[in-house]
Amino acid sequence: MNTEAVQTTMRVIGGKWKAGALLELRAGPTRFNALKRCLAGVTQRMLAQQLRELEAEGVISRKVLEVVPPHVEYALTAKGATLVPILNWLAEWGEAHEAPVRPEPEPVPAPLAQPQQLRFRQTDVQSGGLAQGHAAMLGSTRLVFGAASLTEADG
C-alpha cells in the first residue's frame, strides 16, 4: 500500500469539518446555512474555508442561486461521490470503536457551618469599616459579600 496515496486522501478529506460537510452532502445539494446548522460548533469563516478547499480539490461544486437575497448551494461532484463509501466506512469504524462518554463527577461542596454558629455583621466599606475589628477576626472564617461580612463565631 502506498502511504503517499493515503496522505493524498487525508489531505482532501482531512480537517475538522470536511468529512462532516461531505457526509451531509450525500443527501443532495445543500445550502451553506443548512450545512452550518448541521455542523454544531463550526464558525462561518471556518466552514467557508473548508468548503473552498473541497471545491478546489474538485469533490464539491458551488452554485450561486440567483434569488434575493442570493444563496449558495453545495453538492458532491462525481469525484466527490467516490468518497461516500470511504466516509461511510469511517463512520461505521468510529461507531464501533467509540469510547463511552463518562460524565465528569460533580464536585463535592465543602460542609458549611451550622446556622447557629454564624453571626452577621454589616460593615461600612467606604468609611474603612473593613479594617475595624480585623484583629479580632484573625483565626476565624470570613466571607465578604459586597459591604457585608459573614463570620464564623468563635467557640
Side-chain angles (χ1 to χ4, degrees):
M1 183 177 285
N2 184 352
T3 59
E4 289 179 17
V6 173
Q7 289 174 342
T8 298
T9 305
M10 294 309 296
R11 179 180 44 80
V12 173
I13 66 171
K16 186 169 182 179
W17 307 104
K18 287 181 182 180
L22 290 169
L23 284 171
E24 291 300 324
L25 292 173
R26 288 181 306 181
T30 308
R31 292 185 5 196
F32 181 86
N33 285 331
L35 283 172
K36 188 173 181 308
R37 280 190 300 272
C38 293
L39 302 171
V42 68
T43 63
Q44 185 166 338
R45 181 179 178 189
M46 181 55 68
L47 180 58
Q49 177 186 340
Q50 301 255 301
L51 291 172
R52 275 193 303 271
E53 290 173 9
L54 290 169
E55 184 182 12
E57 292 292 341
V59 295
I60 66 170
S61 63
R62 180 179 185 268
K63 179 181 177 183
V64 178
L65 303 173
E66 299 297 327
V67 295
V68 178
H71 296 290
V72 177
E73 189 176 79
Y74 294 91
L76 287 176
T77 62
K79 181 179 177 182
T82 63
L83 289 170
V84 171
I86 296 167
L87 295 168
N88 289 336
W89 183 83
L90 287 172
E92 289 172 16
W93 189 92
E95 289 171 359
H97 295 89
E98 186 175 33
V101 178
R102 296 182 188 179
E104 292 190 25
E106 293 187 28
V108 178
L112 297 175
Q114 296 298 323
Q116 64 270 18
Q117 294 176 331
L118 297 178
R119 62 186 156 99
F120 183 80
R121 181 172 60 98
Q122 189 163 354
T123 306
D124 183 2
V125 177
Q126 291 182 342
S127 66
L130 284 178
Q132 298 172 2
H134 182 68
M137 298 183 100
L138 290 176
S140 63
T141 304
R142 182 168 180 233
L143 302 173
V144 176
F145 301 100
S149 65
L150 187 62
T151 306
E152 187 173 329
D154 295 327

